[in-house]
């Protein structure tokens, strides 16, 4: 999951290859991801994992780090490891 | 003629201004200059068209294609589009400039947006008065907040019941819901909302903080060399006229003396 999220971020976040080396908790907004780029990230995640973000998750915190995205996608797709 | 004095035409959302409406707009034009307070903005008039290349640069076609109209001539699509907001004319005028300090501009524009609603006040062709601030990050959001607060007081002085609400733009496409939510969460757009007709409330003004988006796109630098931040506060003339006539009646001669005074009119005509 984390690798696929990093792949999507590398392609769509505007941060490029640096997303492969940042810590999972690094703040993507602070690194320079724009809200416009986050839309592409969101759409790519929805397509890759076949789900749709609910209104309640459409906020900065959801897309704030690799960890936050992984946690949210796992929660919404029911794929969180037990 | 509608009860509010905007005269319908063959095109929905396109109106002629009656003498009463134009007198109100004329008074608003003069009175809004006073709202600049101690600021001394550079005044500009924006024509109703703008280079399509500018709107491409700000990605308007991507995020608001449903609102944008292109000018066609006998030769086909021209290099012009209809201006959707006044401030888009400003940033190219400062392209590549490093500012010594923050600047403020006072722009009047005739605008067009392809509104699909027949709701009163949802005009396709309308006039906008916009104050634009470009400068360092420090103080830019505060300028927007201060201008919104001043506008709220000023509009309340005109007898309007104003609510200030965080809002999102009407972005187009699948990602619009996220952009709107992020915009609201960051309070980048504050709308000053008033009733313009019975049961119809709309933004009669809005204050926007763009962060460094336009400074970055147009290479406008602040005093320190980093991309300038920008903010604006815009007033819709027709909507304000609608809100005022809805509140006080069609005849400005009968409006309360305090309202007339704030518009620069004598207490009685």
């Amino acid at each position: 999951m984390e690798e696929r999220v990093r792949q999507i971020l590398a392609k769509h976040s505007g941060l490029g290859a640096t997303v492969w080396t940042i810590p999972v908790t690094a703040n993507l907004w602070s690194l320079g991801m724009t809200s416009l780029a986050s839309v592409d990230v969101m759409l790519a995640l929805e397509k890759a994992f076949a789900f749709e973000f609910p209104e309640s998750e459409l906020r900065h915190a959801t897309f704030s780090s690799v960890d936050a995205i992984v946690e949210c996608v796992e929660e919404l797709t029911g794929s969180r490891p037990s | 003629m509608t009860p509010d004095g905007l005269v319908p035409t063959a095109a929905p959302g396109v109106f002629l201004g009656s003498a009463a409406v134009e007198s109100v707009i004329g008074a608003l034009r003069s009175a809004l200059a006073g709202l600049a307070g101690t600021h001394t903005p550079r005044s500009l008039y924006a024509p109703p068209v703008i280079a399509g290349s500018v709107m491409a640069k700000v990605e308007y076609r991507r995020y608001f294609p449903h609102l944008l109209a292109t000018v066609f001539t006998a030769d086909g699509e021209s290099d012009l589009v209809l201006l959707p907001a006044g401030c888009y004319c400003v940033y190219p005028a400062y392209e590549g400039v490093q500012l010594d300090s923050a600047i403020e501009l006072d722009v009047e524009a005739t605008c067009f947006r392809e509104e699909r609603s027949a709701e009163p006040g949802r005009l396709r062709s309308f006039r906008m008065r916009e104050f634009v601030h470009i400068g360092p990050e420090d103080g830019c959001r505060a300028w927007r907040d201060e201008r919104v607060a001043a506008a709220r007081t000023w509009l309340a002085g005109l007898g309007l019941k104003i609510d200030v609400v965080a809002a999102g733009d009407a972005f187009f496409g699948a990602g619009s819901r996220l952009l709107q939510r992020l915009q609201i969460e960051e309070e980048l757009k504050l709308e000053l909302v008033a009733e313009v007709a019975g049961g119809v409330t709309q933004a009669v003004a809005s204050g926007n903080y763009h962060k460094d988006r336009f400074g970055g796109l147009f290479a406008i630098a602040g005093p320190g060399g980093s991309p300038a931040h920008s903010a604006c506060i815009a007033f819709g003339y027709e909507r304000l006229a609608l809100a005022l006539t809805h509140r006080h009646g069609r005849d400005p001669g009968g409006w309360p003396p305090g309202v007339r005074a704030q518009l620069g009119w004598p207490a009685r005509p």
Side-chain angles (χ1 to χ4, degrees), chain B residues 64 66-67 113 122 165-172 176-191 193 203 206-208:
Chain B
F64 304 100
H66 54 307
L67 299 179
R113 293 180 195 167
R122 200 68 67 182
V165 295
D169 282 310
F171 294 103
F172 178 82
S176 61
R177 65 192 206 278
L178 175 60
L179 283 175
Q180 282 184 338
R181 299 299 304 178
L182 296 179
Q183 208 177 10
I184 291 169
E185 189 183 347
E186 284 195 271
E187 296 191 351
L188 297 178
K189 182 180 197 68
L190 297 177
E191 288 187 341
V193 176
S206 75
N208 301 284

Short mmCIF file of all heavy atoms in Angstrom, two decimals, chain B residues 64 66-67 113 122 165-172 176-191 193 203 206-208:
data_model
loop_
_atom_site.label_atom_id
_atom_site.label_comp_id
_atom_site.label_asym_id
_atom_site.label_seq_id
_atom_site.Cartn_x
_atom_site.Cartn_y
_atom_site.Cartn_z
N PHE B 64 -12.40 26.32 -14.54
CA PHE B 64 -13.70 26.99 -14.72
C PHE B 64 -14.13 27.05 -16.19
O PHE B 64 -14.60 28.09 -16.65
CB PHE B 64 -13.64 28.42 -14.15
CG PHE B 64 -13.22 28.51 -12.72
CD1 PHE B 64 -11.92 28.84 -12.39
CD2 PHE B 64 -14.13 28.26 -11.69
CE1 PHE B 64 -11.51 28.92 -11.05
CE2 PHE B 64 -13.73 28.33 -10.36
CZ PHE B 64 -12.43 28.66 -10.04
N HIS B 66 -16.62 25.94 -17.59
CA HIS B 66 -18.07 26.12 -17.71
C HIS B 66 -18.48 27.59 -17.58
O HIS B 66 -19.61 27.94 -17.90
CB HIS B 66 -18.78 25.29 -16.64
CG HIS B 66 -18.30 25.54 -15.24
ND1 HIS B 66 -16.98 25.47 -14.87
CD2 HIS B 66 -18.97 25.87 -14.12
CE1 HIS B 66 -16.87 25.74 -13.60
NE2 HIS B 66 -18.05 25.99 -13.11
N LEU B 67 -17.57 28.44 -17.08
CA LEU B 67 -17.90 29.85 -16.90
C LEU B 67 -17.30 30.73 -17.99
O LEU B 67 -17.69 31.88 -18.15
CB LEU B 67 -17.38 30.34 -15.54
CG LEU B 67 -17.94 29.65 -14.29
CD1 LEU B 67 -17.31 30.24 -13.03
CD2 LEU B 67 -19.45 29.76 -14.23
N ARG B 113 -19.62 35.72 -16.98
CA ARG B 113 -19.51 34.31 -16.58
C ARG B 113 -20.75 33.59 -17.07
O ARG B 113 -21.86 34.12 -16.95
CB ARG B 113 -19.39 34.16 -15.05
CG ARG B 113 -18.10 34.71 -14.49
CD ARG B 113 -18.05 34.54 -12.99
NE ARG B 113 -17.00 35.36 -12.42
CZ ARG B 113 -16.87 35.61 -11.12
NH1 ARG B 113 -17.71 35.07 -10.26
NH2 ARG B 113 -15.89 36.38 -10.68
N ARG B 122 -28.09 36.39 -10.53
CA ARG B 122 -27.12 35.46 -11.13
C ARG B 122 -26.90 35.91 -12.58
O ARG B 122 -27.30 35.26 -13.53
CB ARG B 122 -27.67 34.04 -11.04
CG ARG B 122 -26.65 32.94 -11.17
CD ARG B 122 -25.69 32.82 -10.05
NE ARG B 122 -26.29 32.40 -8.79
CZ ARG B 122 -25.60 32.28 -7.66
NH1 ARG B 122 -24.30 32.57 -7.64
NH2 ARG B 122 -26.18 31.90 -6.54
N VAL B 165 -19.26 34.42 5.27
CA VAL B 165 -19.13 32.96 5.30
C VAL B 165 -17.92 32.52 4.48
O VAL B 165 -17.61 33.10 3.44
CB VAL B 165 -20.39 32.27 4.74
CG1 VAL B 165 -21.60 32.55 5.63
CG2 VAL B 165 -20.70 32.73 3.32
N ALA B 166 -17.23 31.49 4.98
CA ALA B 166 -16.15 30.87 4.20
C ALA B 166 -16.81 30.10 3.07
O ALA B 166 -17.76 29.35 3.29
CB ALA B 166 -15.33 29.96 5.09
N ALA B 167 -16.29 30.27 1.87
CA ALA B 167 -16.93 29.66 0.70
C ALA B 167 -15.88 29.05 -0.22
O ALA B 167 -14.68 29.30 -0.08
CB ALA B 167 -17.75 30.71 -0.05
N GLY B 168 -16.37 28.26 -1.15
CA GLY B 168 -15.50 27.66 -2.16
C GLY B 168 -15.95 28.11 -3.54
O GLY B 168 -17.13 28.34 -3.77
N ASP B 169 -15.00 28.21 -4.46
CA ASP B 169 -15.35 28.57 -5.83
C ASP B 169 -16.04 27.41 -6.52
O ASP B 169 -15.91 26.25 -6.12
CB ASP B 169 -14.09 28.95 -6.62
CG ASP B 169 -13.61 30.35 -6.28
OD1 ASP B 169 -14.44 31.28 -6.30
OD2 ASP B 169 -12.42 30.51 -5.97
N ALA B 170 -16.76 27.74 -7.60
CA ALA B 170 -17.50 26.71 -8.35
C ALA B 170 -16.58 26.03 -9.35
O ALA B 170 -16.71 26.17 -10.57
CB ALA B 170 -18.68 27.37 -9.07
N PHE B 171 -15.61 25.28 -8.82
CA PHE B 171 -14.66 24.59 -9.69
C PHE B 171 -15.39 23.56 -10.55
O PHE B 171 -16.44 23.04 -10.18
CB PHE B 171 -13.59 23.88 -8.86
CG PHE B 171 -12.70 24.80 -8.09
CD1 PHE B 171 -12.87 24.98 -6.74
CD2 PHE B 171 -11.68 25.49 -8.73
CE1 PHE B 171 -12.05 25.83 -6.01
CE2 PHE B 171 -10.85 26.34 -8.01
CZ PHE B 171 -11.03 26.51 -6.65
N PHE B 172 -14.78 23.25 -11.68
CA PHE B 172 -15.35 22.28 -12.61
C PHE B 172 -14.65 20.93 -12.43
O PHE B 172 -13.47 20.86 -12.12
CB PHE B 172 -15.13 22.77 -14.05
CG PHE B 172 -15.62 21.84 -15.11
CD1 PHE B 172 -16.95 21.81 -15.47
CD2 PHE B 172 -14.74 20.97 -15.75
CE1 PHE B 172 -17.41 20.95 -16.45
CE2 PHE B 172 -15.18 20.10 -16.74
CZ PHE B 172 -16.52 20.10 -17.09
N SER B 176 -13.49 18.93 -8.10
CA SER B 176 -14.01 20.20 -7.58
C SER B 176 -14.38 20.10 -6.10
O SER B 176 -14.20 21.05 -5.34
CB SER B 176 -15.22 20.65 -8.39
OG SER B 176 -16.25 19.69 -8.30
N ARG B 177 -14.86 18.93 -5.70
CA ARG B 177 -15.33 18.82 -4.31
C ARG B 177 -14.17 18.93 -3.33
O ARG B 177 -14.33 19.51 -2.25
CB ARG B 177 -16.09 17.51 -4.11
CG ARG B 177 -15.29 16.25 -4.28
CD ARG B 177 -16.23 15.04 -4.35
NE ARG B 177 -15.61 13.79 -3.92
CZ ARG B 177 -14.83 13.06 -4.70
NH1 ARG B 177 -14.58 13.44 -5.95
NH2 ARG B 177 -14.29 11.94 -4.24
N LEU B 178 -12.98 18.43 -3.70
CA LEU B 178 -11.84 18.57 -2.79
C LEU B 178 -11.35 20.02 -2.77
O LEU B 178 -11.09 20.58 -1.70
CB LEU B 178 -10.70 17.64 -3.21
CG LEU B 178 -9.40 17.79 -2.40
CD1 LEU B 178 -9.64 17.51 -0.91
CD2 LEU B 178 -8.30 16.87 -2.93
N LEU B 179 -11.24 20.64 -3.94
CA LEU B 179 -10.77 22.03 -3.99
C LEU B 179 -11.66 22.94 -3.17
O LEU B 179 -11.18 23.81 -2.44
CB LEU B 179 -10.72 22.51 -5.44
CG LEU B 179 -9.55 22.01 -6.27
CD1 LEU B 179 -9.69 22.45 -7.72
CD2 LEU B 179 -8.22 22.49 -5.70
N GLN B 180 -12.96 22.75 -3.29
CA GLN B 180 -13.89 23.58 -2.52
C GLN B 180 -13.71 23.37 -1.02
O GLN B 180 -13.68 24.34 -0.25
CB GLN B 180 -15.34 23.26 -2.90
CG GLN B 180 -15.77 23.88 -4.20
CD GLN B 180 -17.24 23.62 -4.49
OE1 GLN B 180 -17.82 22.67 -3.97
NE2 GLN B 180 -17.83 24.45 -5.33
N ARG B 181 -13.57 22.12 -0.62
CA ARG B 181 -13.44 21.82 0.81
C ARG B 181 -12.14 22.40 1.38
O ARG B 181 -12.11 22.93 2.48
CB ARG B 181 -13.50 20.31 1.07
CG ARG B 181 -14.79 19.63 0.63
CD ARG B 181 -16.01 20.13 1.33
NE ARG B 181 -15.92 20.02 2.78
CZ ARG B 181 -16.84 20.43 3.63
NH1 ARG B 181 -17.94 21.00 3.17
NH2 ARG B 181 -16.67 20.29 4.92
N LEU B 182 -11.05 22.27 0.61
CA LEU B 182 -9.77 22.82 1.08
C LEU B 182 -9.83 24.33 1.16
O LEU B 182 -9.29 24.94 2.10
CB LEU B 182 -8.63 22.37 0.15
CG LEU B 182 -8.33 20.86 0.10
CD1 LEU B 182 -7.19 20.58 -0.88
CD2 LEU B 182 -7.98 20.31 1.48
N GLN B 183 -10.48 24.93 0.18
CA GLN B 183 -10.61 26.40 0.16
C GLN B 183 -11.39 26.88 1.39
O GLN B 183 -11.01 27.86 2.03
CB GLN B 183 -11.35 26.80 -1.12
CG GLN B 183 -11.04 28.17 -1.64
CD GLN B 183 -11.75 28.47 -2.96
OE1 GLN B 183 -12.64 27.73 -3.40
NE2 GLN B 183 -11.36 29.55 -3.59
N ILE B 184 -12.44 26.16 1.71
CA ILE B 184 -13.25 26.54 2.88
C ILE B 184 -12.46 26.31 4.16
O ILE B 184 -12.46 27.15 5.07
CB ILE B 184 -14.58 25.73 2.89
CG1 ILE B 184 -15.47 26.19 1.72
CG2 ILE B 184 -15.30 25.88 4.22
CD1 ILE B 184 -16.67 25.30 1.47
N GLU B 185 -11.76 25.17 4.24
CA GLU B 185 -11.00 24.84 5.45
C GLU B 185 -9.94 25.90 5.73
O GLU B 185 -9.70 26.27 6.88
CB GLU B 185 -10.34 23.46 5.28
CG GLU B 185 -9.71 22.92 6.55
CD GLU B 185 -9.02 21.58 6.31
OE1 GLU B 185 -9.22 20.95 5.25
OE2 GLU B 185 -8.24 21.17 7.19
N GLU B 186 -9.32 26.41 4.69
CA GLU B 186 -8.28 27.44 4.85
C GLU B 186 -8.84 28.85 4.90
O GLU B 186 -8.08 29.81 5.06
CB GLU B 186 -7.28 27.37 3.69
CG GLU B 186 -6.29 26.22 3.80
CD GLU B 186 -5.14 26.43 2.83
OE1 GLU B 186 -5.26 25.99 1.68
OE2 GLU B 186 -4.12 27.04 3.21
N GLU B 187 -10.16 28.97 4.71
CA GLU B 187 -10.82 30.28 4.67
C GLU B 187 -10.14 31.21 3.68
O GLU B 187 -9.88 32.38 3.96
CB GLU B 187 -10.89 30.90 6.07
CG GLU B 187 -11.74 30.09 7.02
CD GLU B 187 -12.05 30.82 8.32
OE1 GLU B 187 -11.46 31.88 8.57
OE2 GLU B 187 -12.88 30.32 9.08
N LEU B 188 -9.85 30.67 2.49
CA LEU B 188 -9.22 31.49 1.45
C LEU B 188 -10.22 32.44 0.81
O LEU B 188 -9.84 33.47 0.28
CB LEU B 188 -8.58 30.59 0.37
CG LEU B 188 -7.46 29.67 0.86
CD1 LEU B 188 -6.96 28.81 -0.29
CD2 LEU B 188 -6.31 30.49 1.45
N LYS B 189 -11.49 32.04 0.86
CA LYS B 189 -12.53 32.87 0.25
C LYS B 189 -13.60 33.19 1.29
O LYS B 189 -14.20 32.27 1.85
CB LYS B 189 -13.17 32.12 -0.92
CG LYS B 189 -14.23 32.89 -1.68
CD LYS B 189 -14.80 32.04 -2.82
CE LYS B 189 -15.52 32.91 -3.83
NZ LYS B 189 -14.59 33.77 -4.58
N LEU B 190 -13.80 34.45 1.55
CA LEU B 190 -14.85 34.89 2.47
C LEU B 190 -15.89 35.66 1.68
O LEU B 190 -15.56 36.64 1.00
CB LEU B 190 -14.27 35.79 3.58
CG LEU B 190 -13.25 35.14 4.52
CD1 LEU B 190 -12.71 36.19 5.50
CD2 LEU B 190 -13.86 33.97 5.28
N GLU B 191 -17.11 35.18 1.71
CA GLU B 191 -18.17 35.87 0.98
C GLU B 191 -19.00 36.71 1.94
O GLU B 191 -19.30 36.29 3.07
CB GLU B 191 -19.07 34.85 0.27
CG GLU B 191 -18.40 34.21 -0.93
CD GLU B 191 -19.32 33.33 -1.76
OE1 GLU B 191 -20.39 32.92 -1.25
OE2 GLU B 191 -18.96 33.04 -2.91
N VAL B 193 -22.53 37.93 2.26
CA VAL B 193 -23.78 37.47 1.67
C VAL B 193 -24.95 38.33 2.16
O VAL B 193 -25.04 38.65 3.35
CB VAL B 193 -24.01 35.99 2.07
CG1 VAL B 193 -25.36 35.49 1.56
CG2 VAL B 193 -22.88 35.12 1.52
N ALA B 203 -23.72 36.30 -2.65
CA ALA B 203 -22.55 37.11 -2.30
C ALA B 203 -22.62 38.44 -3.04
O ALA B 203 -22.69 38.46 -4.27
CB ALA B 203 -21.27 36.37 -2.68
N SER B 206 -16.83 39.61 -2.11
CA SER B 206 -16.04 38.50 -1.57
C SER B 206 -14.59 38.91 -1.46
O SER B 206 -14.09 39.70 -2.26
CB SER B 206 -16.20 37.24 -2.43
OG SER B 206 -15.46 37.34 -3.61
N GLY B 207 -13.95 38.40 -0.41
CA GLY B 207 -12.53 38.65 -0.19
C GLY B 207 -11.75 37.37 -0.35
O GLY B 207 -12.10 36.35 0.27
N ASN B 208 -10.73 37.40 -1.18
CA ASN B 208 -9.99 36.18 -1.49
C ASN B 208 -8.51 36.34 -1.19
O ASN B 208 -7.92 37.39 -1.49
CB ASN B 208 -10.14 35.84 -2.98
CG ASN B 208 -11.59 35.64 -3.37
OD1 ASN B 208 -12.19 34.62 -3.08
ND2 ASN B 208 -12.17 36.65 -4.00
#
